[in-house]
Amino acid sequence: GCINDRPLPSGRPTYSSQIACCRGAYAGQTSGTCLSQLPSAPTMSPTETGGLDVYYPDYDTSWAEAGCINTRPFPGGRPTYSSQIACCKGAYGGQVSGTCLSQLP
């Protein structure tokens, strides 16, 4: 692992942070030991939070009242769009109520 003890040994590379040291000196380490010693150590399977990077039609709501969402988990079997407005145009283009468009930020 990486340490920050003094005196610094001569002839060894120095890094601006502990994570920079792990990445530089232990980049190929398969055990993950160096990274596991960080104060907020990353995991091998990070938990995704927040919305998805894509939008999809909310088929669980009636068509006239529905909009496009990016809520996890993605239910599958639905078209996806790169933006909320693209989803509204593609999935709710003829929606007279305008609900989908009214939900745009």
Side-chain angles (χ1 to χ4, degrees):
C2 295
I3 56 174
N4 191 22
D5 295 339
R6 296 199 184 270
L8 294 176
S10 63
R12 300 250 178 113
T14 58
Y15 300 91
S16 60
S17 65
Q18 189 175 2
I19 194 164
C21 176
C22 286
R23 287 180 177 160
Y26 297 97
Q29 186 181 53
T30 56
S31 69
T33 301
C34 188
L35 290 175
S36 73
Q37 295 169 351
L38 292 169
S40 297
T43 64
M44 295 306 283
S45 54
T47 305
E48 295 186 45
T49 60
L52 297 167
D53 292 334
V54 294
Y55 286 84
Y56 59 91
D58 180 8
Y59 290 158
D60 296 330
T61 303
S62 71
W63 193 80
E65 299 172 5
C68 292
I69 55 178
N70 66 343
T71 308
R72 294 180 189 277
F74 176 69
R78 299 182 191 191
T80 59
Y81 301 87
S82 60
S83 67
Q84 192 173 7
I85 193 164
C87 179
C88 285
K89 288 178 178 178
Y92 298 102
Q95 188 184 51
V96 177
S97 67
T99 301
C100 190
L101 292 175
S102 74
Q103 295 172 353
L104 293 172

